[in-house]
Amino acid sequence: MTFQSLISLKVLAFLALAASGHASTTVPRANAGNAHFSANVEVQVRALPNAPSGYTPTGGDCPSDRPRIRSASQLSSNETSWLEVRRNKTIDPMRELLGRLNITGFDAAGYISNHAQNSSALPNVGIAMSGGGYRALMNGGGALQAFDIREENSTSSGHLGGLLQSATYLAGLSGGGWLVGSIFLNNFTSISALINEKESSVWDFSNSILKGPATGGIQILDTAQYFNEISNDVNDKADNGFNTSITDYWGRALSYQFINATDGGPAYTWSSIALEDQFMNGDTPLPLLVADSRAPDVQLVGGNATVYEFNPWEFGTFDPTTYGFAPLEYLGSEFSSGVLPSDKQCVRGFDNAGYVMGTSSSLFNALTVQVDGLDIPDAAKTFVTKILADLGDDDNDIADYSPNPFFGFRNSSNEFSQTKRLTLVDGGEDLQNIPLHPLIQPDRHVDVIFAVDSSADTSNWPNGTALVATYERSLTDLSNGTSFPAVPGQNTFVNLGLNSRPTFFGCNSSNTTSPTPLVVYIPNFPYVAFSNVSTSTLSYNDSMREAVVRNGYESATMGNATADAQWPTCVGCAILSRSLERTGTTVPDVCQQCFRNYCWDGTVNNTAPAAYEPTLRGNAIKVTSAAIGRGRIDGASLAAVVVMTAIIAAIF
């Protein structure tokens, strides 16, 4: 058996183990007739599967202007040019949105019209979707559904439709990255369309991603074929001279789950988003995914890890360590000291869309230290530990970006400058589980960030840890000019209920020495469903999926303003806040009241909180039984794993 086949065996055996086990549960269910789930935009197959050889990165001729690594001292020319188009495209939806949010005593629509000739004076909106596996995907999906003007009833009283169309940036990591990718890789479709496609649902989670798509869905493969196709793709990449890791398998599985294309769209790349008409015309926000670097011989990632971003044109970081960006389309090319030598080919296809999503959610290194806490038999723990240890020993428990595009670049500060291998992991491993880093970069001038938090900090509910991590990092040398509003510790979040309702941070911009966005924190909270499902749960029936999505909608709108009739107005005030400052416009009285109600006022309570057990704020609706598989592993399941391992060994 070859080395690559041995890795295939280890990885697929691990995936098979993770896929085994079933259980049932009962959770509040979304009403199947709810208008929020009415699709107005059909899912369409992407027009740009543009990798030259499917999943396999392939070298070829370079353009006359050979690609190179650029300094992160400013935005790319591509982004700067695109922003001129996009900012103008946000004017009409923002005017319509603010005009119906009932900002009493203030002509919000007129304000936008009066400043329409100077888009830099207008609000610059970012949206950030946290990690948290399928929980984050679905809860964040509900929030995006609430923000999307295409969704039925989203412009009714108490709703927030149009916020998505008013946003310049949409960032995600891990499960939130799957959400962002699923939308953009299917022609910027709506959440309802992903759920309600007539013939098949892209978001069909009835089968675990580690078992394979359900027969009759967008993919028609049985589990054996599924594993075989994934392994063949990864082996082809390895045979072409590229390092592979567990993230290659994970990324291919994600593609089958989230891309509406045959065989999981092996030729779909993240950089092809930049070639789509909707994006080029500025009709969508700019999608950003986040991943952390993991230094060699380091198992767990700390707060000093370099944070990398993927945008449609580039891969890189504003951090003072690497402080550079590589052209995303040409990842896999052998850059050296910032240039591509004349005797080297231009490689294309390395930035496979599933691999990019998989990179942002590559948590396998962290699993090694969590095995003892798993609710599985000791024999299963031993088995899992052995597989993970083998992967770790081979440094294959990461996402491998070899050849390292930043080899020889910024030798004095770049910890990877002298190694041909760049290794990345889940963007939340440094505890910054909300992708705020790309949105607080000074050159992007973001005014307000709607931060949707689906983290599993306490009983699978958030407690502000992600905000705390970003704030603490902003106080270090790694911040490199970024600024983030002060936030309290996690105990205060829970004790003051800041994780139980939306809260504004950074309302008083005079408290910071440099421009700082206002952060609208929207935590996952049970309105109509207990949406705190486990990150490790990988299958859901339709009713549970719709319940979590619906709950995300309710959390973002505060129950369509039933929890607070003034909430939509306060959203409008948050959007306008920094713009009003720039234009010297008096803050409306109603907005001042909103800021008194929703801004954190600096109060702290650091006493240890009681166990966090929130109750439903709205009316519970039932979910059908056997909604999800908990992934518990019993003796029979472990035996099934052994059988699966034997099958895999026979195949390879």
Side-chain angles (χ1 to χ4, degrees):
M1 183 180 292
T2 66
F3 173 76
Q4 183 60 31
S5 295
L6 180 60
I7 292 298
S8 299
L9 173 58
K10 292 175 182 176
V11 171
L12 292 175
F14 173 66
L15 297 185
L17 175 66
S20 62
H22 300 280
S24 61
T25 189
T26 301
V27 194
R29 180 182 187 272
N31 186 342
N34 183 3
H36 298 327
F37 296 95
S38 176
N40 294 322
V41 178
E42 293 184 359
V43 176
Q44 298 177 10
V45 176
R46 279 273 321 286
L48 295 171
N50 64 340
S53 302
Y55 188 71
T56 304
T58 303
D61 293 338
C62 292
S64 56
D65 183 14
R66 294 179 68 83
R68 59 188 303 120
I69 310 301
R70 71 168 185 89
S71 166
S73 58
Q74 59 188 2
L75 297 180
S76 70
S77 59
N78 285 322
E79 184 169 345
T80 301
S81 298
W82 177 86
L83 283 169
E84 294 177 2
V85 179
R86 176 58 183 169
R87 291 301 306 278
N88 285 320
K89 287 293 185 75
T90 65
I91 292 173
D92 286 343
M94 189 178 298
R95 177 167 43 217
E96 193 278 334
L97 171 66
L98 293 173
R100 59 180 164 79
L101 291 185
N102 194 29
I103 303 177
T104 307
F106 182 73
D107 182 5
Y111 175 84
I112 298 298
S113 295
N114 291 339
H115 295 281
Q117 298 306 310
N118 179 16
S119 61
S120 64
L122 296 177
N124 190 12
V125 179
I127 301 173
M129 295 294 172
S130 83
Y134 284 88
R135 179 185 62 254
L137 170 86
M138 295 182 290
N139 182 67
L144 277 191
Q145 196 176 51
F147 298 159
D148 191 345
I149 200 170
R150 299 171 297 178
E151 298 285 356
E152 190 171 341
N153 287 345
S154 68
T155 59
S156 300
S157 176
H159 298 250
L160 300 174
L163 180 55
L164 176 61
Q165 284 69 26
S166 302
T168 307
Y169 297 99
L170 175 59
L173 69 79
S174 198
W178 305 346
L179 169 61
V180 173
S182 186
I183 294 169
F184 277 89
L185 295 166
N186 293 293
N187 285 346
F188 196 67
T189 192
S190 70
I191 301 302
S192 288
L194 291 169
I195 292 174
N196 284 349
E197 184 71 0
K198 294 179 180 178
E199 294 183 1
S200 63
S201 169
V202 178
W203 280 16
D204 181 354
F205 307 145
S206 56
N207 275 6
S208 164
I209 191 173
L210 304 179
K211 181 179 180 182
T215 301
I218 61 173
Q219 315 292 342
I220 305 176
L221 291 174
D222 61 29
T223 299
Q225 290 175 307
Y226 175 65
F227 280 132
N228 192 43
E229 291 295 326
I230 288 174
S231 186
N232 286 343
D233 285 339
V234 177
N235 286 339
D236 287 346
K237 178 179 177 180
D239 290 344
N240 209 32
F242 292 92
N243 289 357
T244 58
S245 67
I246 192 171
T247 305
D248 285 278
Y249 299 89
W250 180 237
R252 289 301 298 127
L254 291 172
S255 292
Y256 277 89
Q257 183 80 80
F258 297 122
I259 299 177
N260 186 32
T262 303
D263 297 332
Y268 286 42
T269 64
W270 195 260
S271 59
S272 73
I273 293 172
L275 304 177
E276 293 184 330
D277 288 342
Q278 286 190 88
F279 180 77
M280 289 192 296
N281 294 335
D283 293 327
T284 77
L286 192 156
L288 296 157
L289 261 57
V290 171
D292 291 338
S293 68
R294 193 193 80 172
D297 302 319
V298 172
Q299 188 175 58
L300 289 182
V301 170
N304 62 346
T306 297
V307 179
Y308 286 86
E309 71 170 54
F310 298 85
N311 64 56
W313 306 284
E314 294 183 311
F315 161 74
T317 180
F318 291 99
D319 282 355
T321 48
T322 304
Y323 198 60
F325 282 86
L328 184 62
E329 182 180 6
Y330 297 111
L331 285 185
S333 304
E334 294 185 60
F335 292 94
S336 180
S337 301
V339 300
L340 186 61
S342 59
D343 62 337
K344 300 298 183 182
Q345 291 184 310
C346 280
V347 171
R348 296 177 60 243
F350 191 99
D351 65 312
N352 175 269
Y355 189 61
V356 171
M357 290 191 288
T359 298
S360 185
S361 58
S362 186
L363 267 171
F364 301 100
N365 62 304
L367 290 177
T368 305
V369 298
Q370 298 175 6
V371 171
D372 284 342
L374 295 178
D375 184 18
I376 58 177
D378 289 341
K381 289 180 182 179
T382 301
F383 185 65
V384 174
T385 299
K386 176 64 167 62
I387 292 172
L388 289 172
D390 288 348
L391 291 169
D393 289 344
D394 295 325
D395 282 336
N396 276 292
D397 56 345
I398 42 75
D400 196 323
Y401 279 72
S402 302
N404 173 15
F406 303 108
F407 178 73
F409 186 76
R410 291 181 61 88
N411 292 328
S412 62
S413 59
N414 177 12
E415 65 182 338
F416 288 94
S417 67
Q418 297 306 304
T419 175
K420 291 293 185 74
R421 195 180 191 212
L422 174 62
T423 51
L424 303 177
V425 294
D426 185 292
E429 284 203 28
D430 60 356
L431 300 183
Q432 295 188 92
N433 198 40
I434 305 175
L436 297 161
H437 183 271
L439 302 181
I440 62 175
Q441 298 306 317
D443 287 340
R444 287 189 167 132
H445 305 290
V446 175
D447 292 322
V448 57
I449 302 171
F450 288 84
V452 179
D453 193 1
S454 307
S455 301
D457 303 321
T458 175
S459 301
N460 289 330
W461 301 107
N463 69 0
T465 292
L467 295 189
V468 173
T470 298
Y471 172 60
E472 291 179 344
R473 194 179 195 267
S474 75
L475 304 178
T476 70
D477 291 340
L478 278 174
S479 65
N480 202 29
T482 60
S483 181
F484 194 75
V487 300
Q490 292 93 326
N491 287 354
T492 294
F493 265 88
V494 177
N495 289 328
L496 299 186
L498 305 181
N499 67 330
S500 298
R501 64 175 181 86
T503 304
F504 299 171
F505 296 96
C507 294
N508 189 348
S509 64
S510 65
N511 288 340
T512 58
T513 57
S514 58
T516 306
L518 188 153
V519 175
V520 178
Y521 179 64
I522 303 176
N524 182 23
F525 184 84
Y527 274 79
V528 295
F530 287 102
S531 53
N532 59 329
V533 294
S534 172
T535 307
S536 61
T537 299
L538 302 180
S539 63
Y540 299 84
N541 71 13
D542 291 352
S543 68
M544 185 62 191
R545 175 198 64 194
E546 293 181 11
V548 179
V549 171
R550 170 72 182 279
N551 196 75
Y553 193 111
E554 302 287 329
S555 293
T557 62
M558 293 195 72
N560 302 324
T562 57
D564 179 5
Q566 200 176 36
W567 171 240
T569 299
C570 294
V571 168
C573 293
I575 292 171
L576 285 165
S577 178
R578 296 294 192 258
S579 176
L580 295 176
E581 291 179 4
R582 281 196 299 276
T583 59
T585 303
T586 300
V587 177
D589 290 342
V590 69
C591 289
Q592 294 187 37
Q593 182 61 50
C594 281
F595 296 146
R596 286 191 291 270
N597 291 344
Y598 284 98
C599 294
W600 175 57
D601 62 4
T603 301
V604 296
N605 181 346
N606 290 322
T607 59
Y612 185 66
E613 298 176 351
T615 56
L616 288 175
R617 184 162 288 165
N619 295 323
I621 33 186
K622 300 292 184 180
V623 166
T624 55
S625 61
I628 56 178
R630 293 287 188 185
R632 294 179 183 271
I633 300 172
D634 55 20
S637 297
L638 189 58
V641 169
V642 175
V643 173
M644 177 62 76
T645 303
I647 293 172
I648 294 168
I651 293 173
F652 300 109

